[in-house]
């Protein structure tokens, strides 16, 4: 854990891993989702609105090489230059294609002269040994990680939001990835219908057992024109974190961090989305950097650290 912060910060972990400042560049490879195109189901997850997390430079009209060049220019114009750039295949399910297609798009990214590695965002039920072997081959000369959207440890929740996979699927996918010495991360949403504050803290034990390298958390945001928007309007009582304040969210996150294995680096505590896409978002519009400062301040003032309530165990 970085001694300057009360938690294991992902940015610091990546700097130590690669030897300098790292910047991720979002890539849209125009891949679909098996939960939308009928491979698994139709309609997708009830909370999903893909446009909510795609940056302006990340457009399928551009090649992957063009997206990388535009991403570097985008971040540089905002003073975010870096020694190392990682191509982050973010939009869609980035293992949902033939192995030939995946070979082509992954190698177009890693063959870019300024790219030091790739991160593949995907679903736990959309991975195979063949795909992982391809990634393991790339990992012999570039940094490679797989980031799984797991969202919850409860099968009842995953079914309710039409996720299309179980938590056991996530456990299996993470284990297959770890067996090839590929870094593995996961994404979890806090506040899905039916999940209480107590559950969100308790589920950290199941998260620790996965053996992740990094993790992302974010508050549930309700996007317009989604199935979850209709549920939120008709049954607001199902959403325990519906009206959570920034201070209450900080308290929740701090409790989760205190139960989290300290070897897992934390990339994100919350997320932001364009206001025109949102029907509802808790936290009162607090900026992410402000929220992070509040978390650090809370942990520092209470002398708490990541994992100080973790019971430990084998990784």
């Amino acid at each position: 854990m970085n001694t300057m912060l009360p938690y294991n910060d992902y940015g610091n972990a990546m700097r130590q891993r690669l030897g300098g400042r790292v910047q991720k560049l979002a890539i849209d490879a125009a891949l679909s989702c098996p939960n939308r195109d009928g491979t698994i189901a139709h309609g997708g997850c009830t909370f999903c609105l893909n446009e909510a997390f795609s940056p302006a430079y990340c457009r399928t009209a551009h090649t992957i090489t063009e997206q990388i060049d535009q991403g570097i220019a985008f971040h540089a114009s905002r003073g975010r230059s870096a020694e190392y750039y990682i191509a982050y295949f973010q939009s869609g399910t980035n293992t949902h294609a033939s192995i030939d297609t995946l070979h082509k798009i992954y190698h177009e990214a890693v063959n870019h002269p300024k790219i030091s590695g790739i991160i593949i965002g995907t679903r736990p039920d959309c991975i195979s040994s063949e795909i992982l072997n391809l990634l393991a081959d790339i990992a012999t000369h570039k940094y490679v990680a797989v980031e799984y959207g797991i969202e919850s440890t409860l099968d009842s929740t995953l079914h309710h939001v039409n996720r299309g996979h179980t938590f056991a699927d996530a456990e299996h996918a993470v284990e297959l990835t770890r067996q090839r010495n590929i870094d593995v991360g996961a994404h979890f949403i806090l506040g899905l219908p039916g999940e209480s504050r107590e559950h969100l803290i308790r589920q950290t034990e199941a998260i620790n057992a996965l053996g992740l390298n990094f993790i992302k958390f974010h508050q549930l945001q309700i996007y317009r024109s989604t199935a979850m928007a209709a549920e939120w309007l008709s049954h607001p009582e199902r959403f325990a974190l519906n009206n959570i304040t920034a201070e209450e969210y900080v308290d929740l996150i701090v409790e989760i961090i205190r139960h989290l294995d300290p070897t897992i680096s934390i990339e994100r505590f919350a997320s932001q989305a364009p206001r025109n896409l949102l029907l509802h978002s808790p936290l009162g519009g607090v900026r992410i950097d402000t929220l992070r400062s509040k978390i650090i301040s809370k942990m520092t003032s209470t002398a708490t650290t990541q994992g100080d309530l973790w019971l430990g165990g084998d990784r």
Side-chain angles (χ1 to χ4, degrees):
M1 183 186 298
N2 183 276
T3 57
M4 300 298 291
L5 291 171
Y7 65 89
N8 186 353
D9 177 67
Y10 175 80
N12 290 338
M14 288 298 288
R15 275 193 290 272
Q16 294 172 10
R17 178 71 177 267
L18 296 183
R21 188 178 184 282
V22 178
Q23 178 65 59
K24 290 168 65 176
L25 306 172
I27 301 294
D28 189 337
L31 298 183
S32 182
C33 172
N35 203 22
R36 287 185 178 276
D37 67 11
T39 306
I40 293 173
H42 292 282
C45 305
T46 64
F47 55 78
C48 185
L49 186 66
N50 201 49
E51 307 92 280
F53 44 81
S54 296
Y57 64 83
C58 187
R59 294 291 180 266
T60 56
H62 303 140
T63 67
I64 289 171
T65 299
E66 289 169 343
Q67 290 183 52
I68 290 170
D69 290 336
Q70 291 165 8
I72 292 172
F74 173 87
H75 289 290
S77 70
R78 287 157 175 77
R80 298 194 291 259
S81 60
E83 290 87 10
Y84 300 94
Y85 291 97
I86 302 294
Y88 174 32
F89 286 80
Q90 178 181 20
S91 299
T93 302
N94 292 285
T95 55
H96 185 46
S98 70
I99 196 69
D100 289 340
T101 297
L102 297 178
H103 185 283
K104 179 179 181 294
I105 63 175
Y106 298 165
H107 279 85
E108 181 177 353
V110 296
N111 288 337
H112 190 287
K114 291 190 176 181
I115 291 297
S116 299
I118 55 175
I119 297 175
I120 308 300
T122 190
R123 295 167 51 90
D125 56 350
C126 200
I127 199 69
S128 68
S129 293
E130 189 177 26
I131 294 169
L132 289 171
N133 289 341
L134 168 61
L135 292 171
D137 181 67
I138 296 172
T140 62
H141 59 284
K142 296 281 185 174
Y143 175 79
V144 175
V146 180
E147 179 183 302
Y148 291 108
I150 299 177
E151 317 311 355
S152 174
T153 62
L154 286 182
D155 284 347
S156 57
T157 299
L158 296 172
H159 177 74
H160 183 86
V161 301
N162 195 39
R163 185 67 189 159
H165 66 77
T166 65
F167 185 63
D169 292 327
E171 293 174 309
H172 181 63
V174 171
E175 178 58 25
L176 287 179
T177 309
R178 291 181 62 215
Q179 287 174 2
R180 289 162 174 81
N181 295 315
I182 296 171
D183 275 12
V184 59
H187 181 276
F188 290 89
I189 298 175
L190 306 180
L192 290 168
E195 296 197 347
S196 66
R197 182 184 188 278
E198 292 70 28
H199 162 72
L200 296 176
I201 295 169
R202 286 198 312 271
Q203 78 170 356
T204 312
E205 182 177 351
I207 292 172
N208 287 335
L210 291 170
L212 302 171
N213 297 96
F214 61 94
I215 195 166
K216 291 179 178 178
F217 297 107
H218 81 65
Q219 80 283 19
L220 175 66
Q221 300 187 98
I222 310 296
Y223 300 113
R224 299 181 187 278
S225 304
T226 60
M228 188 161 286
E231 181 180 7
W232 181 81
L233 289 169
S234 60
H235 295 285
E237 73 280 0
R238 295 177 182 172
F239 298 79
L241 305 189
N242 193 8
N243 294 309
I244 192 169
T245 65
E247 288 69 26
E248 290 169 334
Y249 190 75
V250 167
D251 289 343
L252 170 62
I253 285 289
V254 168
E255 280 300 297
I256 290 171
I257 294 171
R258 295 185 68 193
H259 287 84
L260 189 67
D261 179 345
T263 66
I264 302 172
S265 62
I266 304 173
E267 183 172 358
R268 194 169 70 191
F269 301 113
S271 66
Q272 291 179 262
R275 291 186 179 182
N276 64 303
L277 300 178
L278 286 170
L279 176 63
H280 173 74
S281 181
L283 312 186
V286 174
R287 289 178 56 85
I288 300 303
D289 54 352
T290 301
L291 189 72
R292 179 176 180 271
S293 295
K294 287 177 177 288
I295 292 167
I296 294 170
S297 177
K298 174 79 172 183
M299 296 186 73
T300 302
S301 66
T302 55
T304 55
T305 59
Q306 182 175 335
D308 64 7
L309 295 178
W310 178 49
L311 299 178
D314 295 332
R315 287 297 304 270

